[in-house]
Amino acid sequence: MPTASLFEYVAANLENPPLTPEELEFFAEHEKIEIIPNFTLNLPNGMLTCIEGTYGPFRSNIPIKVPLYLALSLYRRGKCRIQLPSWMAKEELKGVLEEERTHPQYFQPVPQYYVEISKLLFTEARAIFGSNSELCEIYDMIEELKKVRNSKILDGLRKVSGPITVKLNHLSHAESNKIRLLFENSLNMWHQLSKNDKVWQENQLAGNDASMTL
Amino acid sequence: MKDVTLKLTPGHGPGQASVAYAATAKDLYLTTTGADGRVFLRDSLVLEPEHVAKVDAPPATILAVDPKGKYVAVGDDQYVKLHKLPSLSLERVACRFNLTLRALSFSPDGSKLAAGGDDSLIKLVEVKEGSVYRSLSCEDYVLSLAWDPEGTYLAVVLRSGGLVLYDTSNGRVEKRVELLCERVDYSSPRRHTPSWHPDGGTVLAVPVGAEGEVVLYERLSWEATGYLSGEHTMAVNVVAFSPNGLYAATAGQDKRVVIWDVGAASAIAAASAAEVISGLAWRLDGNELAMVGELGGVGIWSGPVPKELPGPAVPAEELERMQQEQERLADLKRQDASRHGRGGGGDADLVPPEGGEIREEIIEEVEMDMAAAASGDGTDDGAAGARAAAAAAETTSSAGGHDVSAGDEGDAVRSGLTNGPDGPRSLRPSKMAAARPATQTVRTVVRTIVAPPAGPVPQPPFQPGATPAEPGRPRFLCYNMVGSVASRPVEDHHAIEVLFHDSSRFSARVPLLTDYYGFDRASLGEKGVLYASPPTKSDAPQEGGASGDVGVPAMVMFRPFDPWAPNSDWTAPLPPGEEALCLATGQSFVAVATSRQLLRLFSLAGSQTSIIRLEGPPVAMAAVGSLLAVVWHAGPPNPHTKSQQLSMSLYDTTAMSCIFSQPLPLTPGSLLAWLGFTEDHGLPAVSDSQGVVCVRTPDFGGRWLPVFEPPADRRNSEVLWPVGITSNQLYAIVCKPTEPRPQVSPRPFYTPMSLAPPMLALDGGCPPELEGQALLLGLANASLRNRLEAAEAAGLVEEASDLNHLLLRGQAEQDRALLKAFQRVVKGERHGRALEMAAQLNMFKSLEGALTLANHHQARGLAERISAFMASRQAMLEAAAPAPAPQGPTGISQDSDPYGNNHQRHQRSYTPIPFGKRGPAVDREDGPPGLSAKGPHDAEEQAGAGGSRGASQPLQPTDLNTARGSGAGSLTPFANLVASEPVETGGLSTGPKSARGLPTPNTLLQAATAKPDGGDSSHKRKPVQSYNNPFARKAPKLAK
């Protein structure tokens, strides 16, 4: 079966990729985040049972970890304070950004869903950052981080020139999703080409006509 | 004194080198020159060369900077050349020598320059024209020159070691000292540079001898007035006075640099370098010393004069001003003291020190015969008598004054001495009196100022959960389990914000309070907030004119949260001299403890229900429900242990009773840091400044049980700031040691931590936490029993039954913990201890579990004893059953039979029921009592908790009942206890009683061994119910 060309494949799948950003956001909402509820849940043990898990105990002013979706829905109702995740602290981000810039060959370890979590927090829970300037500062730093990592990814992609194994440690979900279609299929394409090449060479060695495979 | 190590940067070649600061109009530079023949103009901080010039005939050994900062004169092998500053461009040649130049010195006005060297000739040059106007001949090589700051004399040190002083105006030799210094070789790079004191050359310092001394010559008399000695071990090469003359720096052949305090002739700092220093220069306007070495190194010693001393460049006027200031201060002090002392004879002016007092004692009474005087004078005896009395009074007062100043100077307790009775001054009035006819008594009074007792001071009153005031920063007036009261400074007032942790609990938000009184204390309760402000003194007394201008008195203000009536806020000004020190807000009352040691009780709407005199100065108060705990100083702190002597009283404000009043012991030497109640049981709890939290157990007559100590491994990295406590957890805000108080923003949250009494880890494998847990549960049960007793005594049927139920559950919990410990101990082969643990079990079911466990671990002996114990317990109970219950609480045992196994089924963990609202909560919490169908499994479940589900051949208690006759009862310590009861033969049940007549857990154990299978017997044992117990009513049905 002749392989579809890369362009064809990407064009065909661009409309319905294997994972949409919305789906990623949904996954990201299951990441745990620390909140400080300002209510005491009047249920046995103060535990809240959701479809996918039981969280709690919810006691006023005692921090607990809950999934982001729960945190945000409580936050929208004014029932909790969300604690800024530690990796979103200014100093922490500054350090990561610095490291990210100085080491062009590695990615810094960041939370798997940092893009989605930060986006959700920025849009839904602006008040947890304290002042507006603080928010802007953190926002800028995360944007900067995204840019730096993106340029690294692009640089890396340029270097792909054969069916090789590429190790991409510490790539976040959003980032890998971004390059998934292109990267995966270009590698496949490389693989196909090399396979053809091999066959062709074997045929050459066998003295057959090359036109048979092509 | 420790030597500083100086590191010189290479600058010039080896040989003589020279350094000087050049203060040009623009900047301060450092000029250096050396054997490589180059002259550098360096940055005075980083020593970076900015300009460089080269002399024609190296080495350039010497340079001097014109005091005006226009020229630098550099001497090389042949010439003295003037270079312009700061460009170092050559200006002109000043003079020429045949041999190497060694010394240069500008006159203080910069118009003349003295130059000398190996030519045995000193040339004085007119700088402007560059002409030699006078030559001074000397017999030897010139090593150094120093022009006196007055411009009169020129000090010359010769190679032979002689010092010659020339009068520069006429060229005559003023003074010659032979062989003062060490004689040096022709080629030696030694300098022996002398230095004039900058203060008009009053002192000339010259290095002397090979032992590293410096002699100080007085001007004109040229006598040696002092020596700087004892630091250098070899000859001193250079001396340099600091710009203000307070200090001198010396550098010696021993490669050290020493800074001297000239006045005291003592060394104050020293440094060592890697080379012999050939030139020194003090920075003109700072605490820095520049130097060049004989190997060509250039360096700056930054801060040679220690910081606590006046700087080396502080101008003389400044110094003088500083000194005057000091003297003025000293004068003021003295005046202050004497003013205190004079006092005008009135006590009002004698101010005792903080915490001290004034004692007066009459040591002598002199009868003055006024009439005799009147006969002598005959004119105005009354006035004279008055005068005499006044004189006498003055005598005493001056004596007292003397005493005060002495006290100011000195000791902790100084008893002042008046002039004795035979002293001349006190005699005078009595002599006068002798001359007077009228009699008047003149007293000699000793006034003693008693200083405050040395040692710890009583701790000031505080509000639990308040953070200390810091100017300009928001603070918590109160932070507890209900919420927080934060005060934020806004311009001229404060904004007080009340926030609840549980925002759903109160219907309305509390509006922001704009506080103009300056409330510094607040107490947040379930019903409202109580604020108190200190009195403000009027700061403009002359403005009002009237003497009654006293400012705002101390205020107390209460704001209820959900008042049904309007105007429910109330404000009460306290009378002058009274100030609210401690506040507490309970469920039905508010309390204010004031500085007059009054406890003022108010109802929530402000009716004044009571005023009680406190036994001591209040320290802190806390309230819950209708209970009020007051901690007060029972006396001054112990000076030896530094422990506060505190007492606590607990009042019930509705019953108007004092529940207890007893000493409050803390960790020795610590202060009370927090006071509160356990949230679920309402037991008083305190935390001290070392972080140890204690809860008052009702057992042992009410004693304090340490339930929490900060973990040792984290004691250095975090500080726990307690907020609240339940029977098994401490809620505390985790703070950093650098900031041991929570900050208002970001809003803090508390972290629950498990309580852990400081139990010991005994050998035998039972971790102390398990025993600690059992102890804590026992504490909770003790309080429940206590409340149960109170409820029964008060006839509160509903509450009693609820409490009863809670108690049973608590006992089950305790048994579970004990069984865990029991299992570990059995595993660890400590059967004796295991048996004693089993004896502490509350429930019969638990004993069965213990038996199963013992069997599982093949501890036959232990199992036998346990079953024997159970049997005796049961037998005793049956014997006791027909007898009328001797006391009310025996009801517990009767109730326990339907619920004796009930506790096992409460699979969800125990939710603490807030003490304040117990009734309905309990109803919600307790499960249906009719779940006893699982009865037979319970023992297994119980055992399963200990991990011994599959006991192969458990011994049943019934099996061993037969063996009981073999004296098994006497084998257990508990059985011994029972056997030693005098009424044992009668089979009376009560066993050991607590002091209150209530059964202890042990007695309960004896009483509560009703077996659930003997349902009918338990039925029989039920006494006549004196109250309507819903559980009890259901019980018979369930049992069948």
Side-chain angles (χ1 to χ4, degrees):
Chain A
M1 184 200 89
T3 332
S5 85
L6 185 59
F7 291 110
E8 278 172 35
Y9 184 88
V10 171
N13 284 283
L14 207 54
E15 291 308 308
N16 46 356
L19 262 179
T20 60
E22 288 76 18
E23 282 167 324
L24 280 183
E25 192 174 291
F26 179 76
F27 295 150
E29 284 183 334
H30 285 256
E31 290 291 299
K32 294 287 198 311
I33 192 167
E34 196 168 68
I35 63 163
I36 301 170
N38 57 6
F39 62 97
T40 303
L41 199 61
N42 225 345
L43 290 174
N45 283 345
M47 301 296 277
L48 183 69
T49 307
C50 302
I51 298 172
E52 44 93 35
T54 302
Y55 303 104
F58 289 86
R59 286 176 292 173
S60 56
N61 212 26
I62 294 174
I64 49 164
K65 283 198 182 233
V66 296
L68 189 57
Y69 73 89
L70 190 54
L72 286 173
S73 61
L74 286 173
Y75 183 81
R76 277 191 287 263
R77 286 166 176 77
K79 289 286 185 198
C80 73
R81 286 181 278 155
I82 297 178
Q83 295 283 90
L84 202 59
S86 61
W87 58 269
M88 274 182 98
K90 233 189 320 184
E91 289 69 35
E92 191 80 7
L93 271 180
K94 214 175 269 173
V96 167
L97 194 53
E98 192 60 37
E99 291 286 294
E100 196 75 71
R101 282 193 179 122
T102 46
H103 300 296
Q105 62 274 42
Y106 308 113
F107 290 99
Q108 291 304 314
V110 290
Q112 280 289 291
Y113 290 101
Y114 83 98
V115 178
E116 291 83 3
I117 293 175
S118 58
K119 188 220 157 200
L120 282 170
L121 290 181
F122 283 135
T123 49
E124 305 224 15
R126 298 176 72 93
I128 67 168
F129 294 95
S131 64
N132 217 19
S133 63
E134 195 97 332
L135 170 99
C136 288
E137 213 166 311
I138 294 175
Y139 182 80
D140 286 350
M141 268 198 280
I142 288 197
E143 286 299 303
E144 190 67 36
L145 186 67
K146 274 195 242 173
K147 272 185 208 155
V148 172
R149 291 173 69 99
N150 198 33
S151 74
K152 259 190 214 178
I153 293 168
L154 292 183
D155 277 355
L157 281 186
R158 269 188 212 110
K159 292 197 182 102
V160 177
S161 57
I164 50 168
T165 314
V166 185
K167 203 169 163 188
L168 286 169
N169 280 350
H170 302 315
L171 205 60
S172 81
H173 278 296
E175 285 156 350
S176 51
N177 197 37
K178 195 187 285 176
I179 58 166
R180 181 168 281 131
L181 266 184
L182 182 69
F183 193 45
E184 195 183 323
N185 290 293
S186 28
L187 283 180
N188 279 346
M189 195 59 93
W190 279 114
H191 181 61
Q192 189 66 40
L193 288 178
S194 74
K195 234 177 11 190
N196 290 352
D197 192 40
K198 215 166 164 191
V199 172
W200 185 79
Q201 276 180 358
E202 275 167 6
N203 285 348
Q204 281 291 86
L205 283 177
N208 282 357
D209 195 15
S211 63
M212 178 184 153
T213 49
L214 289 176
Chain B
M1 190 166 24
K2 204 168 173 295
D3 274 17
V4 182
T5 306
L6 296 169
K7 205 167 163 356
L8 305 189
T9 54
H12 301 277
Q16 279 190 324
S18 182
V19 64
Y21 274 103
T24 62
K26 247 177 46 207
D27 208 348
L28 183 73
Y29 296 100
L30 190 69
T31 56
T32 60
T33 189
D36 59 351
R38 283 186 295 182
V39 184
F40 287 114
L41 185 74
R42 297 170 186 269
D43 185 286
S44 63
L45 288 176
V46 294
L47 300 179
E48 198 58 32
E50 297 200 349
H51 294 282
V52 60
K54 205 161 161 34
V55 298
D56 295 333
T61 55
I62 185 73
L63 61 76
V65 173
D66 152 36
K68 294 209 173 77
K70 270 158 80 180
Y71 302 110
V72 53
V74 181
D76 60 12
D77 235 13
Q78 289 179 320
Y79 297 98
V80 177
K81 287 177 178 169
L82 291 174
H83 294 258
K84 228 182 178 151
L85 283 172
S87 62
L88 289 186
S89 57
L90 184 65
E91 178 74 11
R92 69 176 80 92
V93 175
C95 60
R96 190 176 177 280
F97 280 81
N98 292 322
L99 294 173
T100 310
L101 256 294
R102 295 290 182 193
L104 286 172
S105 182
F106 273 99
S107 71
D109 57 356
S111 62
K112 299 179 187 76
L113 176 68
D118 295 356
D119 274 8
S120 317
L121 189 70
I122 299 159
K123 291 181 176 174
L124 301 183
V125 182
E126 197 72 55
V127 173
K128 213 173 255 173
E129 290 109 36
S131 59
V132 177
Y133 75 92
R134 182 165 289 139
S135 288
L136 310 169
S137 76
C138 40
E139 297 77 43
D140 213 335
Y141 292 9
V142 174
L143 286 187
S144 327
L145 293 170
W147 208 311
D148 146 42
E150 294 283 283
T152 324
Y153 299 109
L154 187 65
V156 180
V157 176
L158 302 175
R159 184 189 66 88
S160 62
L163 168 75
V164 187
L165 287 158
Y166 290 98
D167 190 331
T168 54
S169 54
N170 49 24
R172 274 196 215 119
V173 173
E174 166 80 14
K175 171 81 180 172
R176 185 186 290 268
V177 185
E178 294 294 343
L179 293 174
L180 178 67
C181 310
E182 215 179 342
R183 187 185 180 88
V184 298
D185 194 64
Y186 291 106
S187 57
S188 161
R190 296 279 278 275
R191 283 219 188 269
H192 292 166
T193 310
S195 178
W196 292 92
H197 197 282
D199 177 17
T202 49
V203 171
L204 176 68
V206 191
V208 50
E211 274 77 52
E213 288 192 342
V214 171
V215 65
L216 303 175
Y217 284 114
E218 194 187 23
R219 192 189 179 89
L220 300 177
S221 75
W222 312 118
E223 294 287 326
T225 56
Y227 290 89
L228 304 177
S229 60
E231 277 292 324
H232 288 288
T233 52
M234 292 167 78
V236 172
N237 208 18
V238 191
V239 186
F241 276 107
S242 74
N244 61 4
L246 277 185
Y247 309 102
T250 58
Q253 293 291 321
D254 54 359
K255 301 181 182 175
R256 292 180 75 217
V257 180
V258 180
I259 311 292
W260 305 82
D261 182 339
V262 177
S266 61
I268 53 173
S272 53
E275 50 196 292
V276 178
I277 299 301
S278 182
L280 286 174
W282 288 88
R283 193 186 165 107
L284 306 173
D285 56 353
N287 191 1
E288 279 181 7
L289 185 67
M291 59 195 71
V292 286
E294 283 182 359
L295 297 175
V298 181
I300 284 186
W301 183 2
S302 184
V305 175
K307 282 195 182 58
E308 60 272 16
L309 298 170
V314 182
E317 309 88 71
E318 181 80 4
L319 281 173
E320 202 168 327
R321 209 184 48 70
M322 279 161 66
Q323 193 171 353
Q324 278 175 355
E325 182 69 14
Q326 272 184 359
E327 276 170 17
R328 203 175 58 80
L329 280 177
D331 274 357
L332 268 181
K333 233 183 205 166
R334 232 172 292 137
Q335 277 172 15
D336 219 31
S338 57
R339 190 160 48 80
H340 266 267
R342 271 195 288 282
D347 292 346
D349 281 327
L350 278 179
V351 182
E354 187 79 18
E357 53 182 322
I358 296 175
R359 288 196 194 129
E360 285 195 5
E361 198 182 342
I362 299 165
I363 58 162
E364 189 196 20
E365 290 191 18
V366 181
E367 291 259 306
M368 287 206 281
D369 195 0
M370 293 291 176
S375 65
D377 273 28
T379 51
D380 194 0
D381 54 353
R387 224 181 301 130
E394 203 170 68
T395 312
T396 40
S397 76
S398 71
H402 193 73
D403 159 39
V404 172
S405 57
D408 274 354
E409 284 160 26
D411 296 340
V413 180
R414 181 182 287 254
S415 114
L417 285 171
T418 39
N419 18 6
D422 45 3
R425 280 209 288 178
S426 67
L427 271 182
R428 188 158 29 98
S430 49
K431 267 184 200 157
M432 279 160 68
R436 304 267 187 270
T439 47
Q440 184 170 344
T441 311
V442 172
R443 291 179 178 136
T444 308
V445 178
V446 177
R447 215 171 269 157
T448 314
I449 301 235
V450 182
V457 290
Q459 84 174 99
F462 70 98
Q463 206 56 32
T467 55
E470 291 169 68
R473 294 184 68 180
R475 64 180 283 219
F476 281 120
L477 296 180
C478 185
Y479 189 103
N480 57 21
M481 295 295 278
V482 177
S484 62
V485 182
S487 169
R488 205 179 297 273
V490 186
E491 289 163 16
D492 59 334
H493 61 274
H494 292 256
I496 294 183
E497 188 182 22
V498 179
L499 287 172
F500 299 111
H501 298 320
D502 189 345
S503 55
S504 55
R505 232 157 107 184
F506 299 93
S507 58
R509 276 178 69 89
V510 180
L512 213 64
L513 171 71
T514 312
D515 157 34
Y516 289 100
Y517 292 117
F519 292 127
D520 66 341
R521 280 153 216 277
S523 164
L524 174 66
E526 302 252 326
K527 296 292 178 182
V529 206
L530 181 66
Y531 300 101
S533 70
T536 51
K537 292 184 187 74
S538 63
D539 25 35
Q542 75 279 14
E543 186 187 290
S547 57
D549 193 2
V550 288
V552 185
M555 298 294 258
V556 174
M557 180 186 199
F558 183 70
R559 299 190 123 201
F561 290 143
D562 290 320
W564 62 271
N567 301 328
S568 288
D569 297 12
W570 51 267
T571 308
L574 294 174
E578 188 169 356
E579 190 183 338
L581 297 182
C582 300
L583 311 174
T585 314
Q587 200 75 6
S588 57
F589 71 99
V590 299
V592 179
T594 71
S595 54
R596 285 173 62 193
Q597 288 191 28
L598 290 180
L599 177 65
R600 294 176 177 270
L601 294 177
F602 302 83
S603 74
L604 289 183
S607 91
Q608 307 189 30
T609 49
S610 186
I611 301 177
I612 308 168
R613 177 67 79 183
L614 286 172
E615 290 101 319
V619 179
M621 288 205 300
V624 68
S626 65
L627 299 182
L628 172 68
V630 186
V631 175
W632 39 276
H633 282 292
N638 186 327
H640 303 297
T641 63
K642 311 248 183 304
S643 299
Q644 301 286 326
Q645 210 176 321
L646 301 176
S647 274
M648 182 195 261
S649 300
L650 186 69
Y651 302 106
D652 187 332
T653 51
T654 37
M656 293 198 173
S657 63
C658 176
I659 297 170
F660 69 85
S661 186
Q662 58 178 198
L664 171 62
L666 299 175
T667 311
S670 62
L671 305 177
L672 182 66
W674 178 80
L675 172 69
F677 289 91
T678 58
E679 296 287 313
D680 40 5
H681 294 125
L683 293 175
V686 297
S687 164
D688 59 36
S689 52
Q690 295 193 14
V692 180
V693 182
C694 292
V695 171
R696 185 182 181 274
T697 163
D699 295 338
F700 297 102
R703 285 298 176 268
W704 292 90
L705 171 68
V707 293
F708 184 83
E709 287 179 350
D713 49 333
R714 285 182 294 170
R715 211 169 284 182
N716 292 326
S717 59
E718 62 182 35
V719 175
L720 298 178
W721 195 80
V723 177
I725 188 173
T726 63
S727 58
N728 52 4
Q729 280 180 321
L730 172 74
Y731 297 97
I733 299 174
V734 181
C735 301
K736 294 185 202 76
T738 49
E739 216 178 61
R741 312 272 172 264
Q743 298 301 307
V744 173
S745 152
R747 270 175 75 191
F749 51 85
Y750 38 73
T751 314
M753 332 219 156
S754 295
L755 297 182
M759 304 298 276
L760 301 179
L762 264 64
D763 49 351
C766 178
E769 302 87 57
L770 281 178
E771 281 190 89
Q773 204 188 347
L775 188 70
L776 285 175
L777 291 164
L779 169 69
N781 289 343
S783 85
L784 279 174
R785 257 201 321 279
N786 212 27
R787 278 165 64 188
L788 178 63
E789 181 199 25
E792 279 173 351
L796 301 169
V797 179
E798 290 254 326
E799 192 179 326
S801 82
D802 288 348
L803 285 171
N804 208 343
H805 180 69
L806 278 178
L807 175 61
L808 286 170
R809 205 158 53 174
Q811 285 174 342
E813 291 255 340
Q814 190 189 3
D815 282 5
R816 205 170 300 157
L818 274 171
L819 270 179
K820 272 186 198 161
F822 173 82
Q823 193 217 354
R824 299 296 185 91
V825 172
V826 174
K827 229 185 214 169
E829 306 268 309
R830 306 279 162 164
H831 293 172
R833 201 186 304 156
L835 183 62
E836 285 159 12
M837 275 185 176
Q840 293 173 38
L841 291 167
N842 294 307
M843 306 268 178
F844 198 76
K845 270 284 163 209
S846 317
L847 274 172
E848 283 176 357
L851 188 63
T852 322
L853 278 173
N855 280 323
H856 175 71
H857 287 280
Q858 312 294 332
R860 305 284 301 189
L862 176 63
E864 277 174 27
R865 278 171 176 78
I866 290 177
S867 54
F869 171 59
M870 286 164 76
S872 72
R873 174 69 52 89
Q874 195 166 14
M876 208 159 56
L877 203 80
E878 297 201 341
Q887 65 234 348
T890 345
I892 297 159
S893 60
Q894 272 74 37
D895 282 342
S896 73
D897 43 18
Y899 306 116
N901 40 26
N902 187 16
H903 66 273
Q904 312 288 1
R905 269 166 276 106
H906 281 278
Q907 292 306 322
R908 48 192 149 130
S909 77
Y910 170 66
T911 316
I913 294 173
F915 179 73
K917 35 175 197 178
R918 33 206 165 184
V922 178
D923 283 344
R924 192 165 9 88
E925 282 303 324
D926 51 32
L931 286 178
S932 56
K934 279 203 289 184
H937 297 291
D938 282 344
E940 269 181 38
E941 271 184 39
Q942 184 85 56
S948 69
R949 198 169 273 273
S952 55
Q953 190 55 267
L955 280 168
Q956 287 301 315
T958 43
D959 300 340
L960 277 154
N961 275 346
T962 50
R964 199 206 154 217
S966 61
S970 65
L971 289 174
T972 78
F974 199 79
N976 281 340
L977 187 74
V978 173
S980 66
E981 286 276 307
V983 285
E984 163 66 8
T985 46
L988 278 180
S989 65
T990 49
K993 277 184 211 163
S994 72
R996 300 185 306 275
L998 256 186
T1000 64
N1002 294 347
T1003 33
L1004 275 176
L1005 177 63
Q1006 290 181 323
T1009 39
K1011 276 207 71 175
D1013 55 357
D1016 46 351
S1017 67
S1018 74
H1019 201 147
K1020 244 185 279 168
R1021 262 179 271 127
K1022 188 177 285 295
V1024 181
Q1025 289 288 327
S1026 58
Y1027 46 80
N1028 184 14
N1029 185 342
F1031 304 120
R1033 257 188 281 117
K1034 282 175 208 152
K1037 265 181 272 163
L1038 291 167
K1040 268 166 195 162

